[in-house]
mmCIF file of all heavy atoms in Angstrom:
data_model
loop_
_atom_site.group_PDB
_atom_site.id
_atom_site.type_symbol
_atom_site.label_atom_id
_atom_site.label_comp_id
_atom_site.label_asym_id
_atom_site.label_seq_id
_atom_site.Cartn_x
_atom_site.Cartn_y
_atom_site.Cartn_z
ATOM 1 N N LEU A 1 -2.257 8.706 3.296
ATOM 2 C CA LEU A 1 -3.463 8.837 4.109
ATOM 3 C C LEU A 1 -3.324 8.053 5.407
ATOM 4 O O LEU A 1 -3.697 8.537 6.484
ATOM 5 C CB LEU A 1 -4.688 8.356 3.325
ATOM 6 C CG LEU A 1 -6.033 8.561 4.025
ATOM 7 C CD1 LEU A 1 -6.311 10.036 4.242
ATOM 8 C CD2 LEU A 1 -7.164 7.918 3.210
ATOM 9 N N ARG A 2 -2.789 6.851 5.328
ATOM 10 C CA ARG A 2 -2.549 6.065 6.546
ATOM 11 C C ARG A 2 -1.574 6.797 7.462
ATOM 12 O O ARG A 2 -1.724 6.791 8.682
ATOM 13 C CB ARG A 2 -1.996 4.687 6.177
ATOM 14 C CG ARG A 2 -3.016 3.760 5.507
ATOM 15 C CD ARG A 2 -2.501 2.329 5.470
ATOM 16 N NE ARG A 2 -3.498 1.437 4.893
ATOM 17 C CZ ARG A 2 -3.479 0.981 3.653
ATOM 18 N NH1 ARG A 2 -2.488 1.327 2.841
ATOM 19 N NH2 ARG A 2 -4.430 0.181 3.211
ATOM 20 N N GLY A 3 -0.562 7.422 6.858
ATOM 21 C CA GLY A 3 0.416 8.148 7.660
ATOM 22 C C GLY A 3 -0.210 9.304 8.421
ATOM 23 O O GLY A 3 0.104 9.534 9.590
ATOM 24 N N VAL A 4 -1.105 10.041 7.760
ATOM 25 C CA VAL A 4 -1.760 11.189 8.402
ATOM 26 C C VAL A 4 -2.595 10.734 9.594
ATOM 27 O O VAL A 4 -2.509 11.298 10.692
ATOM 28 C CB VAL A 4 -2.643 11.945 7.391
ATOM 29 C CG1 VAL A 4 -3.513 12.982 8.110
ATOM 30 C CG2 VAL A 4 -1.788 12.622 6.333
ATOM 31 N N PHE A 5 -3.407 9.698 9.400
ATOM 32 C CA PHE A 5 -4.273 9.236 10.493
ATOM 33 C C PHE A 5 -3.472 8.588 11.617
ATOM 34 O O PHE A 5 -3.855 8.683 12.790
ATOM 35 C CB PHE A 5 -5.325 8.260 9.961
ATOM 36 C CG PHE A 5 -6.498 8.954 9.319
ATOM 37 C CD1 PHE A 5 -6.754 8.822 7.969
ATOM 38 C CD2 PHE A 5 -7.342 9.758 10.068
ATOM 39 C CE1 PHE A 5 -7.830 9.465 7.367
ATOM 40 C CE2 PHE A 5 -8.419 10.414 9.488
ATOM 41 C CZ PHE A 5 -8.661 10.262 8.133
ATOM 42 N N ALA A 6 -2.354 7.938 11.278
ATOM 43 C CA ALA A 6 -1.510 7.355 12.324
ATOM 44 C C ALA A 6 -0.882 8.456 13.174
ATOM 45 O O ALA A 6 -0.830 8.356 14.405
ATOM 46 C CB ALA A 6 -0.422 6.483 11.691
ATOM 47 N N LEU A 7 -0.418 9.532 12.514
ATOM 48 C CA LEU A 7 0.169 10.647 13.249
ATOM 49 C C LEU A 7 -0.858 11.316 14.147
ATOM 50 O O LEU A 7 -0.600 11.569 15.333
ATOM 51 C CB LEU A 7 0.730 11.671 12.250
ATOM 52 C CG LEU A 7 1.336 12.944 12.845
ATOM 53 C CD1 LEU A 7 2.573 12.614 13.669
ATOM 54 C CD2 LEU A 7 1.681 13.938 11.741
ATOM 55 N N ALA A 8 -2.042 11.585 13.597
ATOM 56 C CA ALA A 8 -3.090 12.231 14.391
ATOM 57 C C ALA A 8 -3.545 11.338 15.529
ATOM 58 O O ALA A 8 -3.795 11.807 16.643
ATOM 59 C CB ALA A 8 -4.274 12.584 13.485
ATOM 60 N N GLY A 9 -3.643 10.034 15.252
ATOM 61 C CA GLY A 9 -4.113 9.100 16.281
ATOM 62 C C GLY A 9 -3.192 9.042 17.483
ATOM 63 O O GLY A 9 -3.649 8.937 18.625
ATOM 64 N N ARG A 10 -1.881 9.124 17.225
ATOM 65 C CA ARG A 10 -0.921 9.086 18.342
ATOM 66 C C ARG A 10 -1.062 10.314 19.233
ATOM 67 O O ARG A 10 -0.896 10.233 20.449
ATOM 68 C CB ARG A 10 0.504 8.970 17.794
ATOM 69 C CG ARG A 10 0.880 7.577 17.333
ATOM 70 C CD ARG A 10 2.367 7.461 17.092
ATOM 71 N NE ARG A 10 2.798 8.237 15.945
ATOM 72 C CZ ARG A 10 2.846 7.768 14.702
ATOM 73 N NH1 ARG A 10 2.483 6.516 14.462
ATOM 74 N NH2 ARG A 10 3.261 8.532 13.718
ATOM 75 N N GLU A 11 -1.335 11.451 18.603
ATOM 76 C CA GLU A 11 -1.463 12.678 19.376
ATOM 77 C C GLU A 11 -2.815 12.791 20.072
ATOM 78 O O GLU A 11 -2.913 13.252 21.209
ATOM 79 C CB GLU A 11 -1.264 13.891 18.450
ATOM 80 C CG GLU A 11 0.133 14.021 17.888
ATOM 81 C CD GLU A 11 1.169 14.333 18.950
ATOM 82 O OE1 GLU A 11 0.846 15.109 19.868
ATOM 83 O OE2 GLU A 11 2.288 13.790 18.869
ATOM 84 N N LEU A 12 -3.871 12.376 19.372
ATOM 85 C CA LEU A 12 -5.226 12.543 19.903
ATOM 86 C C LEU A 12 -5.686 11.365 20.739
ATOM 87 O O LEU A 12 -6.737 11.437 21.388
ATOM 88 C CB LEU A 12 -6.207 12.753 18.743
ATOM 89 C CG LEU A 12 -5.970 13.992 17.875
ATOM 90 C CD1 LEU A 12 -6.904 13.981 16.669
ATOM 91 C CD2 LEU A 12 -6.168 15.263 18.681
ATOM 92 N N LYS A 13 -4.889 10.262 20.685
ATOM 93 C CA LYS A 13 -5.253 9.025 21.413
ATOM 94 C C LYS A 13 -6.632 8.522 20.958
ATOM 95 O O LYS A 13 -7.472 8.149 21.782
ATOM 96 C CB LYS A 13 -5.251 9.282 22.928
ATOM 97 C CG LYS A 13 -3.950 9.843 23.464
ATOM 98 C CD LYS A 13 -2.796 8.877 23.274
ATOM 99 C CE LYS A 13 -1.536 9.368 23.985
ATOM 100 N NZ LYS A 13 -0.977 10.595 23.392
ATOM 101 N N THR A 14 -6.833 8.506 19.645
ATOM 102 C CA THR A 14 -8.111 8.053 19.090
ATOM 103 C C THR A 14 -7.884 6.830 18.214
ATOM 104 O O THR A 14 -6.762 6.520 17.815
ATOM 105 C CB THR A 14 -8.766 9.162 18.237
ATOM 106 O OG1 THR A 14 -7.853 9.551 17.203
ATOM 107 C CG2 THR A 14 -9.103 10.362 19.105
ATOM 108 N N GLU A 15 -8.984 6.143 17.899
ATOM 109 C CA GLU A 15 -8.900 4.979 17.014
ATOM 110 C C GLU A 15 -8.577 5.433 15.593
ATOM 111 O O GLU A 15 -8.964 6.527 15.162
ATOM 112 C CB GLU A 15 -10.214 4.200 17.029
ATOM 113 C CG GLU A 15 -10.516 3.528 18.361
ATOM 114 C CD GLU A 15 -11.762 2.677 18.286
ATOM 115 O OE1 GLU A 15 -12.331 2.555 17.174
ATOM 116 O OE2 GLU A 15 -12.174 2.129 19.322
ATOM 117 N N ASN A 16 -7.884 4.585 14.886
ATOM 118 C CA ASN A 16 -7.490 4.898 13.513
ATOM 119 C C ASN A 16 -8.607 4.483 12.555
ATOM 120 O O ASN A 16 -8.911 3.302 12.438
ATOM 121 C CB ASN A 16 -6.199 4.155 13.164
ATOM 122 C CG ASN A 16 -5.592 4.633 11.859
ATOM 123 O OD1 ASN A 16 -6.287 5.174 11.000
ATOM 124 N ND2 ASN A 16 -4.301 4.423 11.703
ATOM 125 N N PRO A 17 -9.226 5.437 11.840
ATOM 126 C CA PRO A 17 -10.306 5.089 10.913
ATOM 127 C C PRO A 17 -9.838 4.265 9.717
ATOM 128 O O PRO A 17 -10.666 3.733 8.973
ATOM 129 C CB PRO A 17 -10.841 6.447 10.462
ATOM 130 C CG PRO A 17 -9.715 7.386 10.663
ATOM 131 C CD PRO A 17 -8.983 6.889 11.870
ATOM 132 N N MET A 18 -8.531 4.137 9.526
ATOM 133 C CA MET A 18 -8.016 3.355 8.406
ATOM 134 C C MET A 18 -7.973 1.866 8.716
ATOM 135 O O MET A 18 -7.733 1.048 7.820
ATOM 136 C CB MET A 18 -6.602 3.833 8.036
ATOM 137 C CG MET A 18 -6.543 5.258 7.511
ATOM 138 S SD MET A 18 -7.509 5.483 6.009
ATOM 139 C CE MET A 18 -6.587 4.467 4.865
ATOM 140 N N GLU A 19 -8.203 1.508 9.977
ATOM 141 C CA GLU A 19 -8.216 0.093 10.336
ATOM 142 C C GLU A 19 -9.293 -0.625 9.527
ATOM 143 O O GLU A 19 -10.456 -0.236 9.530
ATOM 144 C CB GLU A 19 -8.494 -0.088 11.835
ATOM 145 C CG GLU A 19 -7.365 0.383 12.747
ATOM 146 C CD GLU A 19 -6.126 -0.472 12.624
ATOM 147 O OE1 GLU A 19 -6.251 -1.649 12.231
ATOM 148 O OE2 GLU A 19 -5.024 0.041 12.906
ATOM 149 N N GLY A 20 -8.898 -1.677 8.834
ATOM 150 C CA GLY A 20 -9.858 -2.446 8.040
ATOM 151 C C GLY A 20 -9.957 -2.006 6.589
ATOM 152 O O GLY A 20 -10.605 -2.674 5.778
ATOM 153 N N ILE A 21 -9.338 -0.890 6.239
ATOM 154 C CA ILE A 21 -9.321 -0.444 4.842
ATOM 155 C C ILE A 21 -8.059 -1.011 4.202
ATOM 156 O O ILE A 21 -6.952 -0.536 4.453
ATOM 157 C CB ILE A 21 -9.357 1.088 4.727
ATOM 158 C CG1 ILE A 21 -10.640 1.624 5.365
ATOM 159 C CG2 ILE A 21 -9.260 1.527 3.274
ATOM 160 C CD1 ILE A 21 -10.758 3.129 5.327
ATOM 161 N N GLU A 22 -8.237 -2.049 3.401
ATOM 162 C CA GLU A 22 -7.114 -2.784 2.836
ATOM 163 C C GLU A 22 -6.741 -2.263 1.452
ATOM 164 O O GLU A 22 -7.526 -1.583 0.794
ATOM 165 C CB GLU A 22 -7.459 -4.284 2.741
ATOM 166 C CG GLU A 22 -7.914 -4.899 4.052
ATOM 167 C CD GLU A 22 -6.798 -4.951 5.084
ATOM 168 O OE1 GLU A 22 -5.612 -4.847 4.678
ATOM 169 O OE2 GLU A 22 -7.097 -5.089 6.284
ATOM 170 N N ASN A 23 -5.539 -2.605 1.041
ATOM 171 C CA ASN A 23 -5.117 -2.288 -0.322
ATOM 172 C C ASN A 23 -5.987 -3.042 -1.326
ATOM 173 O O ASN A 23 -6.493 -4.138 -1.038
ATOM 174 C CB ASN A 23 -3.663 -2.691 -0.543
ATOM 175 C CG ASN A 23 -2.694 -1.647 -0.026
ATOM 176 O OD1 ASN A 23 -3.100 -0.619 0.488
ATOM 177 N ND2 ASN A 23 -1.409 -1.913 -0.159
ATOM 178 N N SER A 24 -6.159 -2.459 -2.480
ATOM 179 C CA SER A 24 -6.909 -3.103 -3.554
ATOM 180 C C SER A 24 -5.992 -4.094 -4.263
ATOM 181 O O SER A 24 -4.828 -3.802 -4.532
ATOM 182 C CB SER A 24 -7.413 -2.051 -4.543
ATOM 183 O OG SER A 24 -8.157 -2.639 -5.570
ATOM 184 N N LYS A 25 -6.502 -5.263 -4.568
ATOM 185 C CA LYS A 25 -5.694 -6.282 -5.219
ATOM 186 C C LYS A 25 -5.460 -5.913 -6.680
ATOM 187 O O LYS A 25 -6.352 -5.439 -7.368
ATOM 188 C CB LYS A 25 -6.380 -7.642 -5.142
ATOM 189 C CG LYS A 25 -6.490 -8.192 -3.715
ATOM 190 C CD LYS A 25 -7.129 -9.561 -3.719
ATOM 191 C CE LYS A 25 -7.204 -10.125 -2.293
ATOM 192 N NZ LYS A 25 -7.837 -11.472 -2.265
ATOM 193 N N HIS A 26 -4.238 -6.117 -7.122
ATOM 194 C CA HIS A 26 -3.945 -5.907 -8.537
ATOM 195 C C HIS A 26 -2.874 -6.895 -8.974
ATOM 196 O O HIS A 26 -2.089 -7.382 -8.167
ATOM 197 C CB HIS A 26 -3.472 -4.471 -8.792
ATOM 198 C CG HIS A 26 -2.096 -4.183 -8.278
ATOM 199 N ND1 HIS A 26 -1.836 -3.928 -6.946
ATOM 200 C CD2 HIS A 26 -0.899 -4.113 -8.914
ATOM 201 C CE1 HIS A 26 -0.556 -3.701 -6.777
ATOM 202 N NE2 HIS A 26 0.039 -3.814 -7.947
ATOM 203 N N GLN A 27 -2.877 -7.192 -10.231
ATOM 204 C CA GLN A 27 -1.948 -8.182 -10.770
ATOM 205 C C GLN A 27 -0.635 -7.516 -11.128
ATOM 206 O O GLN A 27 -0.589 -6.625 -11.992
ATOM 207 C CB GLN A 27 -2.539 -8.843 -12.018
ATOM 208 C CG GLN A 27 -1.645 -9.920 -12.631
ATOM 209 C CD GLN A 27 -2.313 -10.631 -13.786
ATOM 210 O OE1 GLN A 27 -3.536 -10.668 -13.862
ATOM 211 N NE2 GLN A 27 -1.525 -11.193 -14.683
ATOM 212 N N ALA A 28 0.429 -7.931 -10.458
ATOM 213 C CA ALA A 28 1.739 -7.372 -10.749
ATOM 214 C C ALA A 28 2.238 -7.899 -12.085
ATOM 215 O O ALA A 28 2.014 -9.066 -12.437
ATOM 216 C CB ALA A 28 2.719 -7.741 -9.637
ATOM 217 N N ALA A 29 2.892 -7.036 -12.831
ATOM 218 C CA ALA A 29 3.411 -7.446 -14.129
ATOM 219 C C ALA A 29 4.534 -8.464 -13.945
ATOM 220 O O ALA A 29 5.456 -8.257 -13.152
ATOM 221 C CB ALA A 29 3.923 -6.234 -14.887
ATOM 222 N N ALA A 30 4.444 -9.567 -14.657
ATOM 223 C CA ALA A 30 5.465 -10.610 -14.556
ATOM 224 C C ALA A 30 6.676 -10.229 -15.399
ATOM 225 O O ALA A 30 6.566 -9.495 -16.382
ATOM 226 C CB ALA A 30 4.891 -11.938 -15.045
ATOM 227 N N PRO A 31 7.868 -10.711 -15.017
ATOM 228 C CA PRO A 31 9.050 -10.461 -15.850
ATOM 229 C C PRO A 31 8.817 -10.988 -17.261
ATOM 230 O O PRO A 31 8.188 -12.030 -17.455
ATOM 231 C CB PRO A 31 10.153 -11.253 -15.139
ATOM 232 C CG PRO A 31 9.689 -11.366 -13.729
ATOM 233 C CD PRO A 31 8.199 -11.478 -13.799
ATOM 234 N N ASP A 32 9.311 -10.288 -18.241
ATOM 235 C CA ASP A 32 9.112 -10.675 -19.634
ATOM 236 C C ASP A 32 10.437 -10.534 -20.378
ATOM 237 O O ASP A 32 10.586 -9.686 -21.265
ATOM 238 C CB ASP A 32 8.033 -9.793 -20.267
ATOM 239 C CG ASP A 32 7.556 -10.319 -21.607
ATOM 240 O OD1 ASP A 32 7.913 -11.456 -21.958
ATOM 241 O OD2 ASP A 32 6.845 -9.591 -22.305
ATOM 242 N N PRO A 33 11.430 -11.353 -20.006
ATOM 243 C CA PRO A 33 12.762 -11.199 -20.594
ATOM 244 C C PRO A 33 12.785 -11.536 -22.078
ATOM 245 O O PRO A 33 11.911 -12.242 -22.589
ATOM 246 C CB PRO A 33 13.609 -12.184 -19.788
ATOM 247 C CG PRO A 33 12.631 -13.219 -19.322
ATOM 248 C CD PRO A 33 11.362 -12.481 -19.055
ATOM 249 N N LEU A 34 13.791 -11.018 -22.753
ATOM 250 C CA LEU A 34 13.996 -11.336 -24.155
ATOM 251 C C LEU A 34 14.937 -12.529 -24.264
ATOM 252 O O LEU A 34 15.736 -12.802 -23.359
ATOM 253 C CB LEU A 34 14.599 -10.134 -24.894
ATOM 254 C CG LEU A 34 13.689 -8.901 -24.947
ATOM 255 C CD1 LEU A 34 14.152 -7.854 -23.953
ATOM 256 C CD2 LEU A 34 13.635 -8.324 -26.339
ATOM 257 N N SER A 35 14.845 -13.221 -25.362
ATOM 258 C CA SER A 35 15.785 -14.310 -25.590
ATOM 259 C C SER A 35 17.145 -13.723 -25.950
ATOM 260 O O SER A 35 17.265 -12.536 -26.293
ATOM 261 C CB SER A 35 15.289 -15.202 -26.725
ATOM 262 O OG SER A 35 15.329 -14.492 -27.964
ATOM 263 N N THR A 36 18.183 -14.555 -25.877
ATOM 264 C CA THR A 36 19.509 -14.082 -26.240
ATOM 265 C C THR A 36 19.538 -13.611 -27.690
ATOM 266 O O THR A 36 20.156 -12.591 -28.024
ATOM 267 C CB THR A 36 20.547 -15.198 -26.033
ATOM 268 O OG1 THR A 36 20.525 -15.612 -24.664
ATOM 269 C CG2 THR A 36 21.945 -14.719 -26.393
ATOM 270 N N ALA A 37 18.837 -14.335 -28.558
ATOM 271 C CA ALA A 37 18.802 -13.957 -29.974
ATOM 272 C C ALA A 37 18.126 -12.600 -30.154
ATOM 273 O O ALA A 37 18.589 -11.757 -30.939
ATOM 274 C CB ALA A 37 18.071 -15.030 -30.785
ATOM 275 N N GLU A 38 17.024 -12.372 -29.444
ATOM 276 C CA GLU A 38 16.333 -11.079 -29.530
ATOM 277 C C GLU A 38 17.212 -9.954 -29.011
ATOM 278 O O GLU A 38 17.257 -8.865 -29.592
ATOM 279 C CB GLU A 38 15.021 -11.136 -28.744
ATOM 280 C CG GLU A 38 13.941 -11.992 -29.388
ATOM 281 C CD GLU A 38 12.714 -12.132 -28.513
ATOM 282 O OE1 GLU A 38 12.880 -12.176 -27.274
ATOM 283 O OE2 GLU A 38 11.600 -12.209 -29.060
ATOM 284 N N MET A 39 17.907 -10.212 -27.908
ATOM 285 C CA MET A 39 18.803 -9.207 -27.350
ATOM 286 C C MET A 39 19.861 -8.799 -28.372
ATOM 287 O O MET A 39 20.113 -7.599 -28.586
ATOM 288 C CB MET A 39 19.481 -9.757 -26.091
ATOM 289 C CG MET A 39 20.476 -8.801 -25.453
ATOM 290 S SD MET A 39 21.410 -9.547 -24.081
ATOM 291 C CE MET A 39 22.600 -10.549 -25.013
#
């Protein structure tokens, strides 16, 4: 969606309506390695 509005904005010379619309925060999964014994 950001790509579409950026492309249109360059051609139309208009403001980008996506300005100020940020990504939603989410918790990234942490590494969960196995022990050598489990492996």
Side-chain angles (χ1 to χ4, degrees):
L1 185 63
R2 290 193 177 101
V4 170
F5 279 114
L7 178 65
R10 282 192 291 270
E11 294 293 322
L12 298 173
K13 305 297 188 293
T14 57
E15 293 185 4
N16 191 336
M18 295 299 294
E19 291 292 335
I21 299 179
E22 306 293 341
N23 278 359
S24 181
K25 294 182 179 180
H26 72 281
Q27 181 175 336
D32 192 10
L34 296 104
S35 68
T36 301
E38 289 174 326
M39 178 187 77

